Amino acid sequence: MDRILVFYTSGYGATRQYAEWLEAGVECEVRQMEEGLPEDIENYSKVIIAGGIYAGKFGGLDFMKKYADQLGKMKVAVLAVGAENFHKGLTEKIWLQNFKDLELDVEVCYARGEFDFRNMKFSDKMMVRIGYMIYKKKLSENPEQYKIMGDRKTAYDWKDENYLKPVVKWLEVRE
Ligand SMILES: Cc1cc2nc3c(=O)[nH]c(=O)nc-3n(C[C@H](O)[C@H](O)[C@H](O)COP(=O)(O)O)c2cc1C
């Protein structure tokens, strides 16, 4: 039977919630990324790396680069958690922005998280404001995303266990 490890990092708790849902729903061990890979990593066959997307960058990317050699011997899926509405081509976009130069075969899955400008730390508020100004034209190609990134008042919460279905399906594949 596959032994499964889930690593996560979470700025505001959305990815942590998805990691907890995974822990409750499938047989796996959940760890925070700061713990690093365990010494007996060869006893695991599949690993899920979960994290938020910040200015296009997947939160687990540095972790994946650091452990690329070990992860290269395993089956790896990424659970990227963002504010963008799910649409065709989104996982491909995330792959291109983050993983195309990484010599790892990764399955990219997406889950929608939260967005609450008022609850953000100062540096993140600045990043959102600056990103909104710089990428105004690009963002406006996706009107919903444009509205959210410019919204300073609404506490959005899209977390939904159904987003985990593709990851669970990937876990069930036996090779
Ligand atoms: C500074 C900042 C930048 C963000 N950039 C993006 C982005 O580029 N794309 C996206 O889909 N979501 C973006 N988000 C939304 C986060 O990915 C979302 O809040 C997610 O739920 C974060 O998960 P976490 O709380 O587990 O870290 C951004 C949020 C912040 C605070």
Side-chain angles (χ1 to χ4, degrees):
M1 211 180 106
D2 282 324
R3 273 186 82 190
I4 300 155
L5 255 178
V6 178
F7 282 101
Y8 78 91
T9 180
S10 186
Y12 293 93
T15 312
R16 184 173 57 244
Q17 173 66 80
Y18 281 109
E20 284 170 8
W21 276 331
L22 272 173
E23 193 169 34
V26 293
E27 205 166 304
C28 63
E29 290 169 45
V30 174
R31 304 197 179 174
Q32 296 200 37
M33 254 169 234
E34 301 83 72
E35 295 177 46
L37 288 193
E39 282 183 7
D40 65 339
I41 188 68
E42 68 279 0
N43 294 329
Y44 297 84
S45 50
K46 286 185 173 174
V47 60
I48 295 171
I49 299 169
I53 304 173
Y54 290 86
K57 186 182 171 189
F58 171 62
L61 190 58
D62 294 339
F63 178 89
M64 292 169 77
K65 285 183 180 165
K66 183 173 176 187
Y67 296 111
D69 287 348
Q70 294 96 317
L71 293 173
K73 297 178 194 134
M74 308 174 74
K75 295 194 178 66
V76 181
V78 152
L79 179 68
V81 180
E84 192 163 350
N85 47 322
F86 186 78
H87 55 84
K88 198 169 176 289
L90 178 59
T91 53
E92 288 79 2
K93 182 179 96 173
I94 295 168
W95 184 84
L96 279 172
Q97 282 177 338
N98 289 276
F99 310 116
K100 83 171 160 29
D101 297 326
L102 208 65
E103 286 182 20
L104 273 182
D105 186 13
V106 285
E107 176 84 8
V108 180
C109 303
Y110 180 79
R112 215 171 178 194
E114 302 166 10
F115 192 85
D116 181 1
F117 185 82
R118 287 174 305 182
N119 192 36
M120 285 174 196
K121 56 185 183 195
F122 181 74
S123 55
D124 280 347
K125 281 184 175 168
M126 291 301 286
M127 206 200 282
V128 169
R129 280 191 195 282
I130 292 167
Y132 188 69
M133 283 191 303
I134 296 176
Y135 298 110
K136 215 169 178 133
K137 197 160 171 279
K138 184 99 198 94
L139 272 173
S140 60
E141 288 167 14
N142 181 342
E144 189 180 340
Q145 180 72 347
Y146 182 67
K147 179 176 160 271
I148 292 159
M149 287 292 168
D151 191 337
R152 309 284 170 249
K153 293 192 180 126
T154 315
Y156 294 96
D157 184 355
W158 307 277
K159 297 192 303 299
D160 184 337
E161 233 173 315
N162 283 317
Y163 279 115
L164 291 174
K165 281 181 182 168
V167 193
V168 173
K169 211 169 149 192
W170 176 82
L171 286 173
E172 285 167 358
V173 173
R174 302 251 175 272
E175 280 154 45

